[in-house]
Amino acid sequence: PKITYNFLFKFLVIGSAGTGKSCLLHQFIENKFKQDSNHTIGVEFGSRVVNVGGKTVKLQIWDTAGQERFRSVTRSYYRGAAGALLVYDITSRETYNALTNWLTDARTLASPNIVIILCGNKKDLDADREVTFLEASRFAQENELMFLETSALTGENVEEAFLKCARTILNKIESGELDPERMGSGIQYGDASLRQLRQPRGSAAQTKQQCNC
Amino acid sequence: HTSLPTFTAFTRPSYPERHTVSSDRDSPPLETLRVKCPAQGHDGSKWGLNLGLLVRGQAEAGPPSQSAPGWKLFGKVPLREGGQKDSRTIQQEYEARTGKLSPTAVPDGCPHGRRKNLEFQPLSTTALILEDRPANLPAKSSEEAQRHRQEYDEMVAEAKKRELKDARRKVKQMKERFRQEDIIANTMVVWNTEILPNWESMRNTRRARDLWWQGLPPNVRGRVWSLAVGNELNITPELYEIFLSRAKERWKSFSETGSEAEMASLADRESSLDLIKLDIARTFPSLFIFQKGGPYHDLLHSVLGAYTCYRPDVGYVQGMSFIAAVLILNLEEADAFIAFANLLNKPCQMAFFRVDHELMLKYFAAFEAFFEENLPRLCEHFRGYSLTPDLYLIDWIFTLYSKSLPLDVACRVWDVFCRDGEEFLFRTGLGILRLYEDVLLQMDFIHIAQFLTRLPEDMASENLFSCISSTQMVSGNRKWTQVRRALEKERRDVSRMLV
């Protein structure tokens, strides 16, 4: 079935190993918890078309490997990302402590206007919690991030996280704060008839991605 | 009298060496088939009816139960103990009446049109079709009854036809399976009696290489891998024990002093101990053997732990757990470690597991040169989307295809990889792209990326290998190693210029 969309956003899912990045993606796309999941080597992909504020947006999601050692590889995937889910595990302080590093990478390597939502995953494991909601929301505020606690297991707040991020990007486009036509914005128009894109280079690639799928 | 004629003829002892790794994903093991088949054919002439929609309701309900409502749904007719006929009896009656077959037990056939007695409690669709309606309902007209019978006969014929076709297909499958097993058994003998005892003189012969390409029999696989990979590092089982005990000490002190402050001060190497634990649970999770409590959990933990002590400069890197797991499935513990350490010591694997990004890019560039040469249309298609080889090659190379290919196919790739080295890894990559070229040409960026990081589970190794063999590792008259060296030289020149 062909679904036309108004925009295509490139999204990243980043954060330390074992925080549940791939499970969040799987929950968002398949609406269920991935029971026997592998660890991601390099990068995996997912996509879903969502409806946000009357616009159809196709999210092209890059789910990256979490191990520190892969940083040099995954860094090359940040370019041109419009949004990111920055994930830590509420039951592991270590993954929370690593957030600053991930954030620096995202802000310097992706588009400077990248919209980031902080996700405290594994909300269902409240008994093992090592990071309080308050502490993380303060961190989010200081770093101008949106924040949600999520559970890839139950699905709580998973869709919300992706949608919230998409909505913010859309608002920024509408307010003029974000210019989709700027190179590396991570945003593309989905419908060729909506607006003709100015393409300085790589135009073949860009027009191809406007297909309806 | 129809019966399934041939299934028992195929029963024969199974090979004792059947190996978990090589078992097909889609077809059930032979044993299951053997159990199922006689059961299916067991009730003789009725097997055609016993399947499918006609009597499913009854089959699910088990033996005809006294409380089955039957026509009671229509009220008024009282239930009588033991007054029920099962569909088989009804069908027999029917066949007797119409003079079809049924050599035995011709029941008192009542002439058509006569109303049956009230006690009659028909069951299931068969009864609905073949029996007259109870007295409290209007009788079928003779045309209607006639039509019902005809329709019924057609349904039965159809079901029988389907069943026959199914049976023939199964027989064919079994034959093919046995043929395969025969081949495996024969090649196993050749490996054990001819090649392995004379390894050095035989390994490069035409005969050995041909057999090798067709896939190693599972029970010699580990040995051949070990021999082919070699032991350049001269690791002995004793050395493995030393590194293992060192790893165990470290785990112990790690779990005792696992306080946060200390953990923060511990190096990356130590945190990789934690990651090993996390990743073991996420290695071939569907096999349920490496997970906590599974039979190979401790083994995998040991091999990976010992490696981080043996090569602290490399440590544990994600992807390793898959490689170690495949080795453990085919080799004894110490041999698995020796093969693991030597495999990872190969230049390509070192470049990747040290995550030497620049050098990795040289490998990707070399791959792309051969990609363009072999599959120019697809290569152009990928370039149009800026879909670079790293997006899929990283997963493939880090795990030596064991994560993305079905395990039996991956093992066959390993067979030749152990013999031919890194070149074969990239050749396999091109083989995969060739195999799915037509599908991939129809896809856009995200679908290609998704497809290649999650390859179809039903991939047949024969198809892949025929695509690999039609992939020539020549690019502009240069071979893989030449292209690789030229690219590396370029890199050295650039860095010299930068200095």
Side-chain angles (χ1 to χ4, degrees), chain B residues 118-129:
Chain B
L118 287 179
E119 296 92 60
F120 173 50
Q121 297 278 333
L123 262 177
S124 86
T125 334
T126 308
L128 278 170
I129 297 166

Side-chain angles (χ1 to χ4, degrees), chain B residues 363-387:
Chain B
Y363 276 97
F364 300 145
F367 175 82
E368 209 163 0
F370 291 90
F371 186 10
E372 189 169 21
E373 188 86 29
N374 276 280
L375 305 160
R377 263 183 79 208
L378 192 63
C379 188
E380 195 45 46
H381 183 66
F382 279 23
R383 280 183 186 154
Y385 287 122
S386 316
L387 198 144

Side-chain angles (χ1 to χ4, degrees), chain B residues 1-7 35-48 50 163:
Chain B
H1 201 93
T2 347
S3 67
L4 283 189
T6 37
F7 286 111
V35 177
K36 273 185 192 156
C37 295
Q40 209 160 33
H42 117 109
D43 62 14
S45 67
K46 298 302 173 288
W47 61 270
N50 228 354
E163 177 80 341

Side-chain angles (χ1 to χ4, degrees), chain B residues 478-494:
Chain B
R478 291 185 304 170
K479 291 186 172 151
W480 171 261
T481 38
Q482 291 170 307
V483 173
R484 278 264 315 107
R485 271 193 211 125
L487 282 163
E488 247 191 283
K489 188 169 170 293
E490 206 178 281
R491 174 197 180 190
R492 278 197 300 272
D493 292 346
V494 169

Side-chain angles (χ1 to χ4, degrees), chain B residues 212 274 495:
Chain B
W212 207 326
D274 229 14
S495 52

